Amino acid sequence: MPSSTKGRLTGERPLQGVTPDSLLALHEAGYQAVRERIGGGRILDVGCGHGFESVRFLAPGREVVGVDYSSEAVAAASAHYGCQGLRVAQMDALALGVRTASFDAVCSSHLIEHFTDPEPHVAELARVVRDDGQVCILTPNEPADFENPFHLHLFDRDDLQAMLERHFGDVWLAGVDAADHVKAHFEARRKRAARLLKLDVLGLRHRVPHSWYVWAYTRLLPLAYKLLARDDVGGVTGITVDDWFVTNHVDDTTPLLFAVARRPRRDRDADAAGAAGAASATPSSPSSPSIRTAT
């Protein structure tokens, strides 16, 4: 992998060659589950990051568009994968600048937990997918999640099901689980992290302004990974996507929730706003990723 694809590790999004292999495998397993369930047509990946997962959606009969709020991520995705046919654009996931009912499938991977109120994001997913299309959502399972200041709204299975059913007429919800040795690996790292967090005896990270917590977290995370996951970069653990599987049995140890939602329910006002936004903001070509919608 070219070193230029690496960005600064913050914990907000995975980075190849920087994020621990076990977490990269978790993300890849989620995307693989999505790829196995979507067909052809126009595919939208919301929160595409650096695009190394979005590009795997490309296949004969598919047009793939990745969008992200980060100009740095969009530029990286365009530079490295635009030549392969991935189209990218800078957009706000709460106000997508694409037309209503314009995509056959939409993916939102590890994104809804980043909003204090994820409902408008889900409403946007319902707006932009076609009536006979499907939306795939991946998000951490609250009981199994690691502490992360970017995770502002975590879901258990019932919470996610209830929210999606407000916007879709058909919701199937399962989990993405891992082999026992992977879960043991995660649990050992969680225990090491818990010991470090005990140093914050007064719980200051939850008492200071959230922006301060994020600032400290993004600067301490590289050091924490060296201490807690030093054996987890570069293939040392041997943990790969093959260690993960989709299951209908979800319990407190299941790392990810995975939903497939169909039959979107749309708000007419939202449809009109989306059409107006799309008139001035259409997904870009690989050579011009600078489109930005409302933020």
Side-chain angles (χ1 to χ4, degrees):
M1 179 201 65
S3 61
S4 59
T5 62
K6 295 182 181 180
R8 186 171 72 88
L9 179 67
T10 65
E12 184 178 14
R13 57 171 55 85
L15 299 173
Q16 287 180 311
V18 182
T19 298
D21 295 338
S22 56
L23 294 180
L24 287 175
L26 178 151
H27 280 259
E28 184 180 352
Y31 269 94
Q32 179 172 284
V34 175
R35 291 196 303 271
E36 290 172 349
R37 287 162 176 79
I38 61 174
R42 303 189 72 216
I43 314 299
L44 178 66
D45 188 16
V46 186
C48 67
H50 285 212
F52 58 88
E53 294 291 2
S54 309
V55 72
R56 296 180 185 180
F57 284 133
L58 289 171
R62 284 186 189 161
E63 174 191 350
V64 181
V65 178
V67 301
D68 201 284
Y69 87 99
S70 166
S71 59
E72 178 272 330
V74 166
S78 180
H80 290 96
Y81 304 113
C83 61
Q84 297 182 40
L86 179 67
R87 303 178 66 197
V88 291
Q90 187 177 3
M91 295 186 189
D92 178 2
L94 301 179
L96 295 168
V98 298
R99 295 185 185 280
T100 295
S102 58
F103 284 89
D104 297 282
V106 182
C107 175
S108 171
S109 174
H110 294 263
L111 183 57
I112 62 172
E113 67 272 12
H114 289 245
F115 301 106
T116 53
D117 178 10
E119 198 102 21
H121 172 57
V122 175
E124 272 293 87
L125 301 180
R127 181 183 68 80
V128 302
V129 73
R130 288 179 174 148
D131 290 342
D132 59 351
Q134 59 184 337
V135 171
C136 296
I137 295 176
L138 293 149
T139 189
N141 183 22
E142 181 177 21
D145 192 45
F146 290 93
E147 180 165 335
N148 186 326
F150 292 105
H151 293 182
L152 304 177
H153 190 118
L154 291 168
F155 295 86
D156 62 24
R157 181 171 186 164
D158 291 341
D159 291 338
L160 184 59
Q161 182 91 29
M163 186 182 72
L164 294 180
E165 286 179 350
R166 290 194 288 272
H167 299 275
F168 296 90
D170 179 7
V171 177
W172 173 80
L173 200 150
V176 179
D177 213 336
D180 289 343
H181 73 278
V182 176
K183 295 171 86 166
H185 174 86
F186 275 14
E187 183 59 26
R189 199 165 78 213
R190 183 178 284 105
K191 288 180 178 178
R192 293 196 297 268
R195 288 197 292 270
L196 277 181
L197 291 175
K198 284 182 179 179
L199 297 175
D200 181 18
V201 293
L202 298 178
L204 293 177
R205 67 189 185 280
H206 298 307
R207 298 168 64 182
V208 300
H210 186 72
S211 60
W212 295 13
Y213 180 25
V214 171
W215 183 90
Y217 181 91
T218 58
R219 284 151 182 81
L220 293 174
L221 186 64
L223 174 61
Y225 273 171
K226 288 180 181 179
L227 294 173
L228 304 176
R230 56 186 177 273
D231 61 344
D232 200 359
V233 177
V236 177
T237 64
I239 294 174
T240 71
V241 66
D242 294 331
D243 294 310
W244 298 80
F245 56 92
V246 175
T247 177
N248 285 315
H249 176 72
V250 177
D251 59 28
D252 287 354
T253 71
T254 307
L256 284 183
L257 299 175
F258 174 43
V260 179
R262 300 181 178 89
R263 293 168 48 206
R265 297 168 173 156
R266 302 193 189 94
D267 181 279
R268 290 184 179 180
D269 292 338
D271 287 356
S280 59
T282 304
S284 67
S285 67
S287 61
S288 58
S290 59
I291 293 170
R292 184 170 182 82
T293 59
T295 57

